[in-house]
Amino acid sequence: MSSHTRPPQPGIRLHVDLDGDVRPHRSAKIEARLRVDVAADGAPTDLPAVELAVIIAVDVAEAHRAAVRHALPAALRALPDRISFAVLGSGPEPVRCYPLGDDEWAVADQYQRRRAAFAAGSLPLHRDRPRPAGYAHWVAGARALLAGRPLSVRHLVLITDGSSAAFQEPGLEAELDACAGLFTCDVFAVGADWAPDPLLVLAERLHGTAQFVDDGLGRAVTDAIARLRRVHSPQLPIEVTLRPSVRQVSLSEKAPRPHRLGGLPEPGRPNRWSFPTYQWEQGSRDYLLTLVADADADPLETELQFAMVSVGDVHEPVVARWHLADRSVPPAVAGAGSVQSLNATGQMRGALREGLAALRDHRRDTAEHCLGRAARLAARFGTGWVLDEIRTVADIEDAAEGRIRLRAVDAGTLAPMILRAGSGPGAAPAGTVGIRPGPRCGNCDTPAGSEARYCITCGEELL
């Protein structure tokens, strides 16, 4: 994304909760839950449309023109004034449908919207031969086009019937790497012949969503653009500075949607990593930070700072101690249950997705095992939407025990369910378990560490 962002920046609150049962060895894993709360704090309600550039790319075969015939003109007529936009069709390579002529971008007003909606009626779509170009070509085309529009938020809306995924794309991963940080992407699947896996890869790597739209495609595209305008910070990296004994670090978003984050080492500072994140609205996000450390040179039973997490101007340490192997496990510290809950949420989503994929591939034993595991975790954490998804394909005999009985299922219903399991929002993980040890500030009630002398929020001396 471009560095052009609007002042004032949103208010940020960062909480770090750690699983305290850490045993020393050469490759010990330390896991922490990060919760980042973003408040508008005086920032405008909507991002001005002039700061947005959106590509609407239509990757469907001529046989599926009916799926976009009315939806695309409706979405174009609903574009906000002054947004930069372009429309791409396929034939089979991505080809510009609008704006017409030599211009790469149009700026929405009444005249441009009316012309774009009319031009969409002759949108070029690919036929059976030659084969479509593939998703790597769509992403590369978007990258080249958006490079010339350095605005705060740059976004690709890809409407696909899956025909670009009819063959293997060895270049897709490399192209997604090249697009990291340049734009985000929402994927809308139409029809019934698309595979969910490549769509989930696109959404996860480009920090968007993938969803099946059976009806109301125009409204779905309009809502996606409206959501972009609620972005308070287009790019907000999470930076992690490591203790020298930490050899590996990874960060993944768990809620509201799962995303894999790629870490970028800071030049000249081998112990500092930056994890770019995008499209920050008001609300909360949960992340799982995983560190792999070598305990050989560290003291035991001593509080150690393994990392410092920074989001904007807000910083929080990741502190733990190596416990002696021959001693009993100490009482769980605040946040241990929180980390377990975050892991369980990821395992539940993974089991649901794996079970549905196995059912699609007619591996019923695997499907029953995975969906039973998902049901057991959902019952434990009260995640109703997962149980509702399982009930679509199976009878739940005992959710707490993970006993289900598969039913005969129309294969066409499974792909949208796999998308929801892999990209759709779910309930946030359970709140932090317990409270932080130590005193609370008598002035603002902020919790403090056991050795703290002054409040980190208001600066008052702790009594």
Side-chain angles (χ1 to χ4, degrees):
M1 294 291 184
S2 118
S3 60
H4 173 58
T5 57
R6 54 179 176 158
Q9 289 294 297
I12 298 169
R13 288 176 292 275
L14 172 63
H15 310 275
V16 176
D17 294 317
L18 183 69
D19 186 344
D21 182 18
V22 181
R23 300 290 183 171
H25 54 85
R26 292 187 61 84
S27 297
K29 185 168 69 172
I30 300 171
E31 293 182 320
R33 172 192 179 183
L34 312 182
R35 165 158 284 190
V36 186
D37 299 313
V38 172
D41 285 0
T45 302
D46 285 335
L47 186 72
V50 72
E51 298 189 31
L52 277 73
V54 174
I55 297 173
I56 301 176
V58 184
D59 170 42
V60 304
E62 180 65 41
H64 290 155
R65 181 179 290 274
V68 297
R69 178 179 292 124
H70 301 293
L72 182 57
L76 293 169
R77 285 192 291 266
L79 289 172
D81 283 338
R82 303 184 71 193
I83 190 174
S84 297
F85 73 99
V87 182
L88 302 182
S90 58
E93 297 281 342
V95 58
R96 188 171 68 250
C97 168
Y98 197 84
L100 306 173
D102 296 330
D103 293 334
E104 291 187 331
W105 291 93
V107 178
D109 58 19
Q110 185 175 0
Y111 173 74
Q112 293 287 357
R113 286 192 294 264
R114 184 172 62 248
R115 282 171 57 87
F118 178 78
S122 61
L123 182 77
L125 301 177
H126 61 75
R127 301 180 184 274
D128 291 340
R129 293 290 184 270
R131 291 301 308 163
Y135 291 131
H137 285 73
W138 284 99
V139 175
R143 176 166 62 90
L145 189 56
L146 287 164
R149 210 67 171 178
L151 299 179
S152 294
V153 175
R154 292 178 286 181
H155 192 71
L156 169 65
V157 174
L158 176 62
I159 302 167
T160 181
D161 63 359
S163 44
S164 276
F167 51 88
Q168 295 295 320
E169 290 191 72
L172 180 58
E173 286 288 334
E175 183 55 46
L176 291 173
D177 287 339
C179 294
L182 299 180
F183 63 93
T184 52
C185 176
D186 285 328
V187 182
F188 297 101
V190 298
D193 299 324
W194 45 272
D197 292 339
L199 306 187
L200 288 170
V201 169
L202 287 170
E204 184 178 86
R205 295 289 300 278
L206 297 178
H207 295 261
T209 61
Q211 59 180 292
F212 167 63
V213 183
D214 188 26
D215 192 16
L217 175 62
R219 171 54 57 186
V221 174
T222 299
D223 289 346
I225 295 172
R227 186 176 66 250
L228 295 176
R229 298 193 65 190
R230 295 196 295 270
V231 170
H232 287 291
S233 183
Q235 184 185 69
L236 189 62
I238 298 176
E239 297 177 324
V240 182
T241 305
L242 304 174
R243 182 181 179 87
S245 62
V246 177
R247 298 186 285 106
Q248 296 178 31
V249 57
S250 65
L251 185 68
S252 58
E253 181 178 329
K254 297 297 184 180
R257 290 178 174 88
H259 287 300
R260 181 175 62 182
L261 304 183
L264 304 173
E266 187 171 318
R269 303 183 66 180
N271 293 327
R272 187 176 179 90
W273 290 77
S274 178
F275 294 87
T277 64
Y278 306 96
Q279 295 188 12
W280 280 85
E281 305 173 41
Q282 185 171 342
S284 298
R285 294 191 188 185
D286 284 284
Y287 297 87
L288 182 66
L289 174 68
T290 303
L291 310 174
V292 177
D294 184 349
D296 282 353
D298 286 338
L300 304 180
E301 298 298 342
T302 300
E303 292 286 342
L304 302 171
Q305 180 174 316
F306 287 90
M308 176 67 76
V309 179
S310 304
V311 183
D313 295 329
V314 180
H315 314 277
E316 282 289 328
V318 178
V319 177
R321 66 173 69 203
W322 298 119
H323 297 301
L324 294 173
D326 58 349
R327 294 189 180 179
S328 60
V329 178
V333 299
S338 177
V339 172
Q340 294 167 7
S341 172
L342 205 61
N343 276 322
T345 300
Q347 293 166 7
M348 179 179 61
R349 275 187 180 270
L352 177 61
R353 179 178 169 183
E354 186 179 352
L356 294 171
L359 189 58
R360 176 196 59 191
D361 298 337
H362 308 291
R363 295 181 287 116
R364 294 181 66 86
D365 289 346
T366 301
E368 187 169 304
H369 172 75
C370 293
L371 293 177
R373 184 166 181 247
R376 186 168 61 251
L377 289 168
R380 178 182 174 188
F381 290 97
T383 313
W385 72 269
V386 171
L387 295 175
D388 290 340
E389 292 285 82
I390 295 172
R391 288 189 183 99
T392 305
V393 298
D395 296 319
I396 300 178
E397 298 177 344
D398 189 329
E401 295 295 327
R403 291 203 306 271
I404 67 165
R405 187 174 68 255
L406 295 174
R407 298 195 303 268
V409 178
D410 179 2
T413 66
L414 294 174
M417 295 177 66
I418 295 171
L419 277 194
R420 288 194 295 268
S423 180
T432 301
V433 175
I435 60 173
R436 297 175 185 268
R440 285 181 172 270
C441 176
N443 181 52
C444 67
D445 201 42
T446 298
S450 59
E451 300 298 321
R453 295 293 177 264
Y454 294 90
C455 177
I456 62 173
T457 300
C458 68
E460 290 290 324
E461 184 175 1
L462 299 170
L463 302 177

